[in-house]
Amino acid sequence: MARRFSAPYQSEPFSALATWSRRLAVFSAIATVVSVMVVRFGFLETKFALATLFGALAFAGLSILAAFAGLVAIWRDGSRGIGRILTALLLNTLVLAYPSYLAVRYRSLPAIHDITTDPINPPQFEELARLRGTDGANTAVYAGLYSAEQQRLAYPEIEPVELDLTAQRAFDIVQKLVARRKWLVIDARAPQPRQPGHIEAVAKTPVLGLREDIAIRIAPDSDGSRVDIRSASRYFEHDLGSNAERVSKLIDDINTAAENTVEKPTKQPRAPVKTPVKGEGKR
């Protein structure tokens, strides 16, 4: 029977499927917010915390199934519940929008998690190495040439930064940019005559706060200095493009800061000006 918009319709019971669709959607929204907080603030080990998030998203999927089944039931028996179904679908859309965006990136980007400007000799994780390779974390060893080839095809713009500045000046620029990003600096060593500058830091992804490790090397070059950057996810084999995005933005900011920096030239002593003696030259 088609849905009736007359007075008797107001006495029709609510569809049980519509009610359960809304309940599942509300539960999913609350569970998703709690799960994100658990992941971001590290209340549980990362992979277990993400399992709670996936469980919350599964409830959103169940809610959508119940909503469509409820629509069929309402159309057939004329029961009420359209408002509850629309509320459920709205909540589920909000809950699933960002995961859907990440799913698209998962499908379209290469499954790599270690990005560097120098695949042959990438900056090394020294202090951060002890935090990697345990409890399911990725190893500190570079992912290898296969990852380098996938990176070259997907992110050809990621290359070493060549600067017409001294290594010390380049180090100062990079250090300020790292501080501006509020990354947690683990180690920072200025360049020495026979030792390149080295910075290690930890960044977090914007929503879930997953930790990603950064190593930056600043070395003297023939006519200036060279900056190499490495950013690697601590967990999972697919970074959804976050490391490449981080490295690309840092490269752009370094180049911009270097262009706005002018090395002060060494002042040469001015030769004294000889004042001619009055009457000199008159013979």
Side-chain angles (χ1 to χ4, degrees), residues 51-223:
T52 64
L53 176 59
F54 292 142
L57 298 178
F59 277 102
L62 290 175
S63 174
I64 292 174
L65 292 176
F68 284 114
L71 286 173
V72 173
I74 289 172
W75 178 259
R76 294 179 62 181
D77 58 29
S79 57
R80 293 188 290 168
I82 287 293
R84 298 183 181 188
I85 288 177
L86 292 178
T87 300
L89 291 177
L90 176 61
L91 286 174
N92 292 326
T93 299
L94 295 176
V95 167
L96 295 175
Y98 186 66
S100 299
Y101 164 74
L102 295 181
V104 172
R105 292 179 69 87
Y106 182 88
R107 295 284 296 177
S108 60
L109 296 175
I112 55 179
H113 65 275
D114 200 341
I115 301 295
T116 180
T117 58
D118 187 356
I120 304 302
N121 181 29
Q124 299 298 308
F125 294 123
E126 298 175 8
E127 297 298 324
L128 286 169
R130 58 187 177 84
L131 300 177
R132 303 177 65 93
T134 59
D135 297 329
N138 294 322
T139 178
V141 178
Y142 179 59
L145 294 181
Y146 173 78
S147 177
E149 179 62 17
Q150 294 297 308
Q151 173 189 313
R152 185 186 66 81
L153 295 174
Y155 315 111
E157 72 280 2
I158 295 180
E159 296 179 341
V161 185
E162 304 282 351
L163 301 175
D164 294 327
L165 302 172
T166 64
Q168 181 61 52
R169 189 71 187 97
F171 177 85
D172 294 339
I173 289 175
V174 173
Q175 198 170 34
K176 288 180 181 178
L177 292 173
V178 168
R180 187 185 303 169
R181 284 163 165 74
K182 301 186 185 307
W183 294 343
L184 176 62
V185 177
I186 304 300
D187 187 23
R189 301 191 302 268
Q192 302 298 324
R194 296 186 179 181
Q195 189 72 24
H198 184 78
I199 296 175
E200 290 184 53
V202 179
K204 293 183 178 182
T205 56
V207 177
L208 295 178
L210 298 176
R211 284 141 179 92
E212 296 183 326
D213 300 325
I214 301 111
I216 307 173
R217 181 177 63 221
I218 304 98
D221 205 5
S222 56
D223 297 323

